[in-house]
Amino acid sequence: MGAAHSSEADYRSDSLSVQGTLASDDRNITWSAGLAASRDQIDPVNRLVSNERKAATDVVLGLTQVLGSHDVVQLTAGHARQRGYLSDPYKVLDRRPRTRDATRILLRWNHHLPSLDAAVRSHYRYWRDNWGLQTHTLGLEFAQPLGRRVTVTPSVRWY
């Protein structure tokens, strides 16, 4: 469970979150679920808008599966809903719709390379929202520890 509060001269935000996990007896499968909500008040110093509000909720469900001593796969799905003032008040010509619903799916696979004491991490993300955006993202990382305190992680990402 979590709670947050932020207060600045032009922005105030309050949020709550809860997340839980449930593992199988052998710890090879983990199910997770989370819920978050925030309420914001926007009063920019440029007075473009005054006392605007924004509310957001987000729900996420996940499944993690250990495939063996070197492989872990994770699938998560989530949906976010925003209502209220979603524009950037410091960009005069920024006019966004006052509602946004977005759905996302994320698939990850991590593979350990024992001979190098390294890991290959890959992911695919799909995103779609009611603003007409639809994105696909592929990512690949190679995590190589150098001693006990440093890890070098070159990566590539394609949108």
Side-chain angles (χ1 to χ4, degrees):
M1 294 174 51
H5 171 78
S6 175
S7 185
E8 301 172 25
D10 59 348
Y11 203 92
R12 178 184 166 150
S13 180
D14 295 296
S15 64
L16 296 172
S17 63
V18 62
Q19 181 177 349
T21 60
L22 179 64
S24 62
D25 289 339
D26 62 4
R27 301 261 189 226
N28 284 337
I29 299 173
T30 303
W31 296 272
S32 60
L35 178 64
S38 66
R39 303 292 179 262
D40 302 345
Q41 180 178 340
I42 303 144
D43 281 304
V45 295
N46 64 3
R47 302 190 190 279
L48 187 64
V49 296
S50 177
N51 199 29
E52 281 286 357
R53 308 268 181 187
K54 177 173 66 171
T57 56
D58 196 355
V59 63
V60 65
L61 300 172
L63 172 67
T64 303
Q65 171 74 55
V66 176
L67 299 178
S69 60
H70 302 295
D71 295 285
V72 177
V73 174
Q74 181 183 52
L75 176 66
T76 59
H79 184 77
R81 170 173 274 189
Q82 296 176 319
R83 300 290 183 261
Y85 187 75
L86 305 179
S87 301
D88 185 332
Y90 294 106
K91 295 180 181 175
V92 177
L93 301 177
D94 188 45
R95 300 281 187 258
R96 300 176 196 175
R98 294 183 70 88
T99 64
R100 187 175 198 181
D101 293 300
T103 301
R104 65 199 179 275
I105 297 171
L106 176 64
L107 178 62
R108 295 180 188 192
W109 172 45
N110 292 347
H111 177 72
H112 180 246
L113 302 168
S115 62
L116 299 174
D117 190 29
V120 175
R121 301 187 295 224
S122 60
H123 73 270
Y124 166 76
R125 185 184 77 154
Y126 173 75
W127 166 284
R128 179 179 175 185
D129 69 17
N130 66 331
W131 290 4
L133 296 174
Q134 181 176 332
T135 66
H136 301 270
T137 305
L138 289 170
L140 185 64
E141 300 176 346
F142 179 78
Q144 178 65 62
L146 301 175
R148 295 183 64 184
R149 296 184 182 205
V150 176
T151 300
V152 175
T153 310
S155 64
V156 62
R157 188 177 290 172
W158 178 77
Y159 296 93

PDB file of all heavy atoms in Angstrom, residues 63-97:
ATOM      1  N   LEU A  63       1.401 -11.863 -14.456  1.00  0.00           N
ATOM      2  CA  LEU A  63       1.763 -13.256 -14.237  1.00  0.00           C
ATOM      3  C   LEU A  63       3.247 -13.402 -14.533  1.00  0.00           C
ATOM      4  O   LEU A  63       3.718 -12.995 -15.602  1.00  0.00           O
ATOM      5  CB  LEU A  63       0.953 -14.172 -15.159  1.00  0.00           C
ATOM      6  CG  LEU A  63       1.349 -15.645 -15.182  1.00  0.00           C
ATOM      7  CD1 LEU A  63       1.039 -16.297 -13.842  1.00  0.00           C
ATOM      8  CD2 LEU A  63       0.620 -16.369 -16.305  1.00  0.00           C
ATOM      9  N   THR A  64       3.997 -13.954 -13.590  1.00  0.00           N
ATOM     10  CA  THR A  64       5.413 -14.235 -13.775  1.00  0.00           C
ATOM     11  C   THR A  64       5.624 -15.731 -13.650  1.00  0.00           C
ATOM     12  O   THR A  64       5.128 -16.349 -12.701  1.00  0.00           O
ATOM     13  CB  THR A  64       6.264 -13.491 -12.719  1.00  0.00           C
ATOM     14  OG1 THR A  64       5.987 -12.090 -12.813  1.00  0.00           O
ATOM     15  CG2 THR A  64       7.748 -13.723 -12.942  1.00  0.00           C
ATOM     16  N   GLN A  65       6.360 -16.295 -14.609  1.00  0.00           N
ATOM     17  CA  GLN A  65       6.592 -17.740 -14.642  1.00  0.00           C
ATOM     18  C   GLN A  65       8.092 -18.008 -14.726  1.00  0.00           C
ATOM     19  O   GLN A  65       8.763 -17.507 -15.633  1.00  0.00           O
ATOM     20  CB  GLN A  65       5.900 -18.356 -15.862  1.00  0.00           C
ATOM     21  CG  GLN A  65       6.239 -19.801 -16.134  1.00  0.00           C
ATOM     22  CD  GLN A  65       5.592 -20.759 -15.157  1.00  0.00           C
ATOM     23  OE1 GLN A  65       4.381 -20.752 -14.993  1.00  0.00           O
ATOM     24  NE2 GLN A  65       6.387 -21.577 -14.497  1.00  0.00           N
ATOM     25  N   VAL A  66       8.608 -18.796 -13.788  1.00  0.00           N
ATOM     26  CA  VAL A  66       9.985 -19.263 -13.856  1.00  0.00           C
ATOM     27  C   VAL A  66       9.984 -20.484 -14.762  1.00  0.00           C
ATOM     28  O   VAL A  66       9.287 -21.461 -14.507  1.00  0.00           O
ATOM     29  CB  VAL A  66      10.542 -19.620 -12.459  1.00  0.00           C
ATOM     30  CG1 VAL A  66      11.938 -20.201 -12.566  1.00  0.00           C
ATOM     31  CG2 VAL A  66      10.517 -18.400 -11.556  1.00  0.00           C
ATOM     32  N   LEU A  67      10.751 -20.434 -15.858  1.00  0.00           N
ATOM     33  CA  LEU A  67      10.768 -21.523 -16.828  1.00  0.00           C
ATOM     34  C   LEU A  67      11.885 -22.527 -16.557  1.00  0.00           C
ATOM     35  O   LEU A  67      11.889 -23.610 -17.118  1.00  0.00           O
ATOM     36  CB  LEU A  67      10.921 -20.973 -18.245  1.00  0.00           C
ATOM     37  CG  LEU A  67       9.809 -20.052 -18.730  1.00  0.00           C
ATOM     38  CD1 LEU A  67      10.116 -19.537 -20.117  1.00  0.00           C
ATOM     39  CD2 LEU A  67       8.466 -20.773 -18.705  1.00  0.00           C
ATOM     40  N   GLY A  68      12.832 -22.165 -15.761  1.00  0.00           N
ATOM     41  CA  GLY A  68      13.970 -23.018 -15.446  1.00  0.00           C
ATOM     42  C   GLY A  68      14.984 -22.216 -14.672  1.00  0.00           C
ATOM     43  O   GLY A  68      14.714 -21.086 -14.268  1.00  0.00           O
ATOM     44  N   SER A  69      16.157 -22.768 -14.502  1.00  0.00           N
ATOM     45  CA  SER A  69      17.161 -22.080 -13.691  1.00  0.00           C
ATOM     46  C   SER A  69      17.728 -20.839 -14.372  1.00  0.00           C
ATOM     47  O   SER A  69      18.382 -20.024 -13.723  1.00  0.00           O
ATOM     48  CB  SER A  69      18.291 -23.045 -13.349  1.00  0.00           C
ATOM     49  OG  SER A  69      18.899 -23.528 -14.539  1.00  0.00           O
ATOM     50  N   HIS A  70      17.447 -20.648 -15.677  1.00  0.00           N
ATOM     51  CA  HIS A  70      18.018 -19.506 -16.393  1.00  0.00           C
ATOM     52  C   HIS A  70      16.992 -18.602 -17.061  1.00  0.00           C
ATOM     53  O   HIS A  70      17.382 -17.622 -17.689  1.00  0.00           O
ATOM     54  CB  HIS A  70      19.008 -20.003 -17.459  1.00  0.00           C
ATOM     55  CG  HIS A  70      20.119 -20.824 -16.906  1.00  0.00           C
ATOM     56  ND1 HIS A  70      21.072 -20.313 -16.051  1.00  0.00           N
ATOM     57  CD2 HIS A  70      20.413 -22.135 -17.042  1.00  0.00           C
ATOM     58  CE1 HIS A  70      21.915 -21.261 -15.703  1.00  0.00           C
ATOM     59  NE2 HIS A  70      21.541 -22.386 -16.293  1.00  0.00           N
ATOM     60  N   ASP A  71      15.709 -18.920 -16.972  1.00  0.00           N
ATOM     61  CA  ASP A  71      14.708 -18.156 -17.720  1.00  0.00           C
ATOM     62  C   ASP A  71      13.501 -17.783 -16.860  1.00  0.00           C
ATOM     63  O   ASP A  71      12.976 -18.616 -16.125  1.00  0.00           O
ATOM     64  CB  ASP A  71      14.216 -18.966 -18.922  1.00  0.00           C
ATOM     65  CG  ASP A  71      15.319 -19.199 -19.930  1.00  0.00           C
ATOM     66  OD1 ASP A  71      15.646 -18.241 -20.651  1.00  0.00           O
ATOM     67  OD2 ASP A  71      15.859 -20.322 -19.978  1.00  0.00           O
ATOM     68  N   VAL A  72      13.088 -16.524 -17.018  1.00  0.00           N
ATOM     69  CA  VAL A  72      11.880 -16.010 -16.365  1.00  0.00           C
ATOM     70  C   VAL A  72      11.083 -15.232 -17.404  1.00  0.00           C
ATOM     71  O   VAL A  72      11.643 -14.414 -18.149  1.00  0.00           O
ATOM     72  CB  VAL A  72      12.223 -15.088 -15.169  1.00  0.00           C
ATOM     73  CG1 VAL A  72      10.957 -14.512 -14.558  1.00  0.00           C
ATOM     74  CG2 VAL A  72      13.035 -15.825 -14.127  1.00  0.00           C
ATOM     75  N   VAL A  73       9.780 -15.483 -17.465  1.00  0.00           N
ATOM     76  CA  VAL A  73       8.883 -14.784 -18.379  1.00  0.00           C
ATOM     77  C   VAL A  73       7.828 -14.065 -17.554  1.00  0.00           C
ATOM     78  O   VAL A  73       7.347 -14.594 -16.543  1.00  0.00           O
ATOM     79  CB  VAL A  73       8.212 -15.768 -19.367  1.00  0.00           C
ATOM     80  CG1 VAL A  73       7.175 -15.065 -20.216  1.00  0.00           C
ATOM     81  CG2 VAL A  73       9.251 -16.431 -20.252  1.00  0.00           C
ATOM     82  N   GLN A  74       7.471 -12.864 -17.993  1.00  0.00           N
ATOM     83  CA  GLN A  74       6.458 -12.082 -17.286  1.00  0.00           C
ATOM     84  C   GLN A  74       5.485 -11.477 -18.294  1.00  0.00           C
ATOM     85  O   GLN A  74       5.903 -10.955 -19.331  1.00  0.00           O
ATOM     86  CB  GLN A  74       7.118 -10.973 -16.481  1.00  0.00           C
ATOM     87  CG  GLN A  74       6.137 -10.127 -15.691  1.00  0.00           C
ATOM     88  CD  GLN A  74       6.828  -9.001 -14.959  1.00  0.00           C
ATOM     89  OE1 GLN A  74       7.583  -8.242 -15.549  1.00  0.00           O
ATOM     90  NE2 GLN A  74       6.581  -8.916 -13.667  1.00  0.00           N
ATOM     91  N   LEU A  75       4.211 -11.537 -17.978  1.00  0.00           N
ATOM     92  CA  LEU A  75       3.162 -10.911 -18.784  1.00  0.00           C
ATOM     93  C   LEU A  75       2.343 -10.018 -17.865  1.00  0.00           C
ATOM     94  O   LEU A  75       1.868 -10.466 -16.820  1.00  0.00           O
ATOM     95  CB  LEU A  75       2.261 -11.971 -19.422  1.00  0.00           C
ATOM     96  CG  LEU A  75       1.066 -11.455 -20.214  1.00  0.00           C
ATOM     97  CD1 LEU A  75       1.531 -10.701 -21.461  1.00  0.00           C
ATOM     98  CD2 LEU A  75       0.144 -12.603 -20.593  1.00  0.00           C
ATOM     99  N   THR A  76       2.210  -8.740 -18.236  1.00  0.00           N
ATOM    100  CA  THR A  76       1.355  -7.825 -17.476  1.00  0.00           C
ATOM    101  C   THR A  76       0.421  -7.100 -18.439  1.00  0.00           C
ATOM    102  O   THR A  76       0.774  -6.844 -19.589  1.00  0.00           O
ATOM    103  CB  THR A  76       2.167  -6.781 -16.679  1.00  0.00           C
ATOM    104  OG1 THR A  76       2.974  -6.026 -17.568  1.00  0.00           O
ATOM    105  CG2 THR A  76       3.034  -7.431 -15.626  1.00  0.00           C
ATOM    106  N   ALA A  77      -0.752  -6.799 -17.945  1.00  0.00           N
ATOM    107  CA  ALA A  77      -1.732  -6.030 -18.701  1.00  0.00           C
ATOM    108  C   ALA A  77      -2.284  -4.955 -17.784  1.00  0.00           C
ATOM    109  O   ALA A  77      -2.480  -5.184 -16.584  1.00  0.00           O
ATOM    110  CB  ALA A  77      -2.856  -6.930 -19.208  1.00  0.00           C
ATOM    111  N   GLY A  78      -2.529  -3.782 -18.354  1.00  0.00           N
ATOM    112  CA  GLY A  78      -3.027  -2.690 -17.533  1.00  0.00           C
ATOM    113  C   GLY A  78      -3.953  -1.775 -18.301  1.00  0.00           C
ATOM    114  O   GLY A  78      -3.959  -1.757 -19.541  1.00  0.00           O
ATOM    115  N   HIS A  79      -4.746  -1.038 -17.550  1.00  0.00           N
ATOM    116  CA  HIS A  79      -5.642  -0.050 -18.141  1.00  0.00           C
ATOM    117  C   HIS A  79      -5.599   1.206 -17.274  1.00  0.00           C
ATOM    118  O   HIS A  79      -5.698   1.130 -16.045  1.00  0.00           O
ATOM    119  CB  HIS A  79      -7.072  -0.571 -18.218  1.00  0.00           C
ATOM    120  CG  HIS A  79      -7.992   0.383 -18.903  1.00  0.00           C
ATOM    121  ND1 HIS A  79      -8.027   0.528 -20.270  1.00  0.00           N
ATOM    122  CD2 HIS A  79      -8.882   1.274 -18.405  1.00  0.00           C
ATOM    123  CE1 HIS A  79      -8.909   1.447 -20.585  1.00  0.00           C
ATOM    124  NE2 HIS A  79      -9.442   1.924 -19.471  1.00  0.00           N
ATOM    125  N   ALA A  80      -5.434   2.348 -17.929  1.00  0.00           N
ATOM    126  CA  ALA A  80      -5.395   3.629 -17.230  1.00  0.00           C
ATOM    127  C   ALA A  80      -6.517   4.522 -17.748  1.00  0.00           C
ATOM    128  O   ALA A  80      -6.831   4.515 -18.938  1.00  0.00           O
ATOM    129  CB  ALA A  80      -4.046   4.315 -17.450  1.00  0.00           C
ATOM    130  N   ARG A  81      -7.100   5.286 -16.846  1.00  0.00           N
ATOM    131  CA  ARG A  81      -8.165   6.229 -17.201  1.00  0.00           C
ATOM    132  C   ARG A  81      -7.828   7.575 -16.584  1.00  0.00           C
ATOM    133  O   ARG A  81      -7.565   7.673 -15.390  1.00  0.00           O
ATOM    134  CB  ARG A  81      -9.498   5.721 -16.677  1.00  0.00           C
ATOM    135  CG  ARG A  81     -10.617   6.738 -16.786  1.00  0.00           C
ATOM    136  CD  ARG A  81     -11.928   6.126 -16.423  1.00  0.00           C
ATOM    137  NE  ARG A  81     -12.419   5.529 -17.656  1.00  0.00           N
ATOM    138  CZ  ARG A  81     -13.622   5.027 -17.807  1.00  0.00           C
ATOM    139  NH1 ARG A  81     -14.447   4.992 -16.795  1.00  0.00           N
ATOM    140  NH2 ARG A  81     -14.009   4.543 -18.955  1.00  0.00           N
ATOM    141  N   GLN A  82      -7.838   8.629 -17.431  1.00  0.00           N
ATOM    142  CA  GLN A  82      -7.594   9.991 -16.957  1.00  0.00           C
ATOM    143  C   GLN A  82      -8.785  10.863 -17.334  1.00  0.00           C
ATOM    144  O   GLN A  82      -9.327  10.749 -18.440  1.00  0.00           O
ATOM    145  CB  GLN A  82      -6.339  10.571 -17.607  1.00  0.00           C
ATOM    146  CG  GLN A  82      -5.073   9.843 -17.248  1.00  0.00           C
ATOM    147  CD  GLN A  82      -3.881  10.400 -18.002  1.00  0.00           C
ATOM    148  OE1 GLN A  82      -3.962  10.717 -19.178  1.00  0.00           O
ATOM    149  NE2 GLN A  82      -2.772  10.540 -17.294  1.00  0.00           N
ATOM    150  N   ARG A  83      -9.151  11.741 -16.426  1.00  0.00           N
ATOM    151  CA  ARG A  83     -10.252  12.668 -16.657  1.00  0.00           C
ATOM    152  C   ARG A  83      -9.850  14.040 -16.131  1.00  0.00           C
ATOM    153  O   ARG A  83      -9.182  14.142 -15.106  1.00  0.00           O
ATOM    154  CB  ARG A  83     -11.533  12.223 -15.920  1.00  0.00           C
ATOM    155  CG  ARG A  83     -12.051  10.852 -16.347  1.00  0.00           C
ATOM    156  CD  ARG A  83     -12.602  10.920 -17.764  1.00  0.00           C
ATOM    157  NE  ARG A  83     -13.174   9.681 -18.212  1.00  0.00           N
ATOM    158  CZ  ARG A  83     -12.571   8.788 -18.986  1.00  0.00           C
ATOM    159  NH1 ARG A  83     -11.328   8.973 -19.358  1.00  0.00           N
ATOM    160  NH2 ARG A  83     -13.195   7.695 -19.387  1.00  0.00           N
ATOM    161  N   GLY A  84     -10.249  15.091 -16.863  1.00  0.00           N
ATOM    162  CA  GLY A  84      -9.962  16.449 -16.411  1.00  0.00           C
ATOM    163  C   GLY A  84      -9.009  17.174 -17.331  1.00  0.00           C
ATOM    164  O   GLY A  84      -8.958  16.910 -18.534  1.00  0.00           O
ATOM    165  N   TYR A  85      -8.228  18.079 -16.765  1.00  0.00           N
ATOM    166  CA  TYR A  85      -7.319  18.920 -17.536  1.00  0.00           C
ATOM    167  C   TYR A  85      -6.036  18.143 -17.826  1.00  0.00           C
ATOM    168  O   TYR A  85      -5.202  17.933 -16.943  1.00  0.00           O
ATOM    169  CB  TYR A  85      -7.014  20.205 -16.763  1.00  0.00           C
ATOM    170  CG  TYR A  85      -6.221  21.195 -17.567  1.00  0.00           C
ATOM    171  CD1 TYR A  85      -6.824  21.936 -18.575  1.00  0.00           C
ATOM    172  CD2 TYR A  85      -4.869  21.375 -17.331  1.00  0.00           C
ATOM    173  CE1 TYR A  85      -6.095  22.846 -19.329  1.00  0.00           C
ATOM    174  CE2 TYR A  85      -4.131  22.291 -18.076  1.00  0.00           C
ATOM    175  CZ  TYR A  85      -4.754  23.012 -19.070  1.00  0.00           C
ATOM    176  OH  TYR A  85      -4.034  23.907 -19.819  1.00  0.00           O
ATOM    177  N   LEU A  86      -5.867  17.689 -19.064  1.00  0.00           N
ATOM    178  CA  LEU A  86      -4.729  16.870 -19.453  1.00  0.00           C
ATOM    179  C   LEU A  86      -3.710  17.625 -20.303  1.00  0.00           C
ATOM    180  O   LEU A  86      -2.675  17.073 -20.671  1.00  0.00           O
ATOM    181  CB  LEU A  86      -5.215  15.626 -20.216  1.00  0.00           C
ATOM    182  CG  LEU A  86      -6.248  14.771 -19.470  1.00  0.00           C
ATOM    183  CD1 LEU A  86      -6.676  13.593 -20.326  1.00  0.00           C
ATOM    184  CD2 LEU A  86      -5.717  14.304 -18.129  1.00  0.00           C
ATOM    185  N   SER A  87      -3.969  18.880 -20.605  1.00  0.00           N
ATOM    186  CA  SER A  87      -3.040  19.692 -21.402  1.00  0.00           C
ATOM    187  C   SER A  87      -1.872  20.150 -20.546  1.00  0.00           C
ATOM    188  O   SER A  87      -1.907  20.079 -19.323  1.00  0.00           O
ATOM    189  CB  SER A  87      -3.772  20.909 -21.975  1.00  0.00           C
ATOM    190  OG  SER A  87      -4.849  20.500 -22.781  1.00  0.00           O
ATOM    191  N   ASP A  88      -0.831  20.663 -21.206  1.00  0.00           N
ATOM    192  CA  ASP A  88       0.307  21.254 -20.505  1.00  0.00           C
ATOM    193  C   ASP A  88       0.032  22.753 -20.361  1.00  0.00           C
ATOM    194  O   ASP A  88       0.001  23.476 -21.358  1.00  0.00           O
ATOM    195  CB  ASP A  88       1.594  21.016 -21.296  1.00  0.00           C
ATOM    196  CG  ASP A  88       2.825  21.511 -20.567  1.00  0.00           C
ATOM    197  OD1 ASP A  88       2.720  22.460 -19.752  1.00  0.00           O
ATOM    198  OD2 ASP A  88       3.907  20.966 -20.817  1.00  0.00           O
ATOM    199  N   PRO A  89      -0.177  23.253 -19.136  1.00  0.00           N
ATOM    200  CA  PRO A  89      -0.553  24.659 -18.974  1.00  0.00           C
ATOM    201  C   PRO A  89       0.564  25.643 -19.329  1.00  0.00           C
ATOM    202  O   PRO A  89       0.307  26.837 -19.424  1.00  0.00           O
ATOM    203  CB  PRO A  89      -0.910  24.756 -17.486  1.00  0.00           C
ATOM    204  CG  PRO A  89      -0.145  23.667 -16.846  1.00  0.00           C
ATOM    205  CD  PRO A  89      -0.072  22.559 -17.858  1.00  0.00           C
ATOM    206  N   TYR A  90       1.768  25.171 -19.555  1.00  0.00           N
ATOM    207  CA  TYR A  90       2.862  26.055 -19.933  1.00  0.00           C
ATOM    208  C   TYR A  90       3.125  26.041 -21.437  1.00  0.00           C
ATOM    209  O   TYR A  90       4.084  26.646 -21.900  1.00  0.00           O
ATOM    210  CB  TYR A  90       4.121  25.698 -19.138  1.00  0.00           C
ATOM    211  CG  TYR A  90       3.927  25.990 -17.673  1.00  0.00           C
ATOM    212  CD1 TYR A  90       3.732  24.962 -16.764  1.00  0.00           C
ATOM    213  CD2 TYR A  90       3.870  27.303 -17.216  1.00  0.00           C
ATOM    214  CE1 TYR A  90       3.521  25.241 -15.415  1.00  0.00           C
ATOM    215  CE2 TYR A  90       3.659  27.589 -15.880  1.00  0.00           C
ATOM    216  CZ  TYR A  90       3.483  26.549 -14.984  1.00  0.00           C
ATOM    217  OH  TYR A  90       3.262  26.834 -13.666  1.00  0.00           O
ATOM    218  N   LYS A  91       2.277  25.376 -22.167  1.00  0.00           N
ATOM    219  CA  LYS A  91       2.326  25.401 -23.631  1.00  0.00           C
ATOM    220  C   LYS A  91       1.017  26.012 -24.108  1.00  0.00           C
ATOM    221  O   LYS A  91      -0.031  25.378 -24.064  1.00  0.00           O
ATOM    222  CB  LYS A  91       2.498  23.993 -24.199  1.00  0.00           C
ATOM    223  CG  LYS A  91       3.826  23.366 -23.832  1.00  0.00           C
ATOM    224  CD  LYS A  91       3.945  21.975 -24.406  1.00  0.00           C
ATOM    225  CE  LYS A  91       5.267  21.348 -24.013  1.00  0.00           C
ATOM    226  NZ  LYS A  91       5.340  19.952 -24.476  1.00  0.00           N
ATOM    227  N   VAL A  92       1.069  27.243 -24.554  1.00  0.00           N
ATOM    228  CA  VAL A  92      -0.128  28.025 -24.873  1.00  0.00           C
ATOM    229  C   VAL A  92      -1.005  27.333 -25.913  1.00  0.00           C
ATOM    230  O   VAL A  92      -2.222  27.357 -25.816  1.00  0.00           O
ATOM    231  CB  VAL A  92       0.268  29.444 -25.347  1.00  0.00           C
ATOM    232  CG1 VAL A  92      -0.952  30.242 -25.762  1.00  0.00           C
ATOM    233  CG2 VAL A  92       1.027  30.169 -24.245  1.00  0.00           C
ATOM    234  N   LEU A  93      -0.420  26.684 -26.898  1.00  0.00           N
ATOM    235  CA  LEU A  93      -1.195  26.060 -27.976  1.00  0.00           C
ATOM    236  C   LEU A  93      -1.516  24.591 -27.717  1.00  0.00           C
ATOM    237  O   LEU A  93      -2.047  23.924 -28.595  1.00  0.00           O
ATOM    238  CB  LEU A  93      -0.445  26.205 -29.301  1.00  0.00           C
ATOM    239  CG  LEU A  93      -0.162  27.648 -29.725  1.00  0.00           C
ATOM    240  CD1 LEU A  93       0.635  27.670 -31.014  1.00  0.00           C
ATOM    241  CD2 LEU A  93      -1.441  28.456 -29.844  1.00  0.00           C
ATOM    242  N   ASP A  94      -1.221  24.089 -26.536  1.00  0.00           N
ATOM    243  CA  ASP A  94      -1.468  22.686 -26.214  1.00  0.00           C
ATOM    244  C   ASP A  94      -2.928  22.499 -25.799  1.00  0.00           C
ATOM    245  O   ASP A  94      -3.337  22.986 -24.754  1.00  0.00           O
ATOM    246  CB  ASP A  94      -0.530  22.246 -25.092  1.00  0.00           C
ATOM    247  CG  ASP A  94      -0.596  20.757 -24.838  1.00  0.00           C
ATOM    248  OD1 ASP A  94      -0.591  19.992 -25.821  1.00  0.00           O
ATOM    249  OD2 ASP A  94      -0.650  20.353 -23.657  1.00  0.00           O
ATOM    250  N   ARG A  95      -3.708  21.823 -26.624  1.00  0.00           N
ATOM    251  CA  ARG A  95      -5.126  21.585 -26.341  1.00  0.00           C
ATOM    252  C   ARG A  95      -5.415  20.098 -26.491  1.00  0.00           C
ATOM    253  O   ARG A  95      -5.609  19.599 -27.585  1.00  0.00           O
ATOM    254  CB  ARG A  95      -6.014  22.360 -27.309  1.00  0.00           C
ATOM    255  CG  ARG A  95      -5.819  23.849 -27.274  1.00  0.00           C
ATOM    256  CD  ARG A  95      -6.545  24.450 -26.072  1.00  0.00           C
ATOM    257  NE  ARG A  95      -6.489  25.898 -26.118  1.00  0.00           N
ATOM    258  CZ  ARG A  95      -5.663  26.632 -25.378  1.00  0.00           C
ATOM    259  NH1 ARG A  95      -4.837  26.049 -24.560  1.00  0.00           N
ATOM    260  NH2 ARG A  95      -5.652  27.940 -25.466  1.00  0.00           N
ATOM    261  N   ARG A  96      -5.397  19.379 -25.390  1.00  0.00           N
ATOM    262  CA  ARG A  96      -5.641  17.942 -25.408  1.00  0.00           C
ATOM    263  C   ARG A  96      -7.073  17.651 -24.979  1.00  0.00           C
ATOM    264  O   ARG A  96      -7.681  18.437 -24.249  1.00  0.00           O
ATOM    265  CB  ARG A  96      -4.672  17.237 -24.467  1.00  0.00           C
ATOM    266  CG  ARG A  96      -3.234  17.467 -24.836  1.00  0.00           C
ATOM    267  CD  ARG A  96      -2.291  16.842 -23.845  1.00  0.00           C
ATOM    268  NE  ARG A  96      -0.941  17.395 -24.028  1.00  0.00           N
ATOM    269  CZ  ARG A  96       0.080  17.113 -23.245  1.00  0.00           C
ATOM    270  NH1 ARG A  96      -0.072  16.310 -22.233  1.00  0.00           N
ATOM    271  NH2 ARG A  96       1.257  17.650 -23.482  1.00  0.00           N
ATOM    272  N   PRO A  97      -7.616  16.500 -25.398  1.00  0.00           N
ATOM    273  CA  PRO A  97      -8.948  16.109 -24.914  1.00  0.00           C
ATOM    274  C   PRO A  97      -8.930  15.976 -23.393  1.00  0.00           C
ATOM    275  O   PRO A  97      -7.882  15.792 -22.772  1.00  0.00           O
ATOM    276  CB  PRO A  97      -9.171  14.743 -25.580  1.00  0.00           C
ATOM    277  CG  PRO A  97      -8.283  14.744 -26.776  1.00  0.00           C
ATOM    278  CD  PRO A  97      -7.084  15.569 -26.388  1.00  0.00           C
TER     279      PRO A  97
END
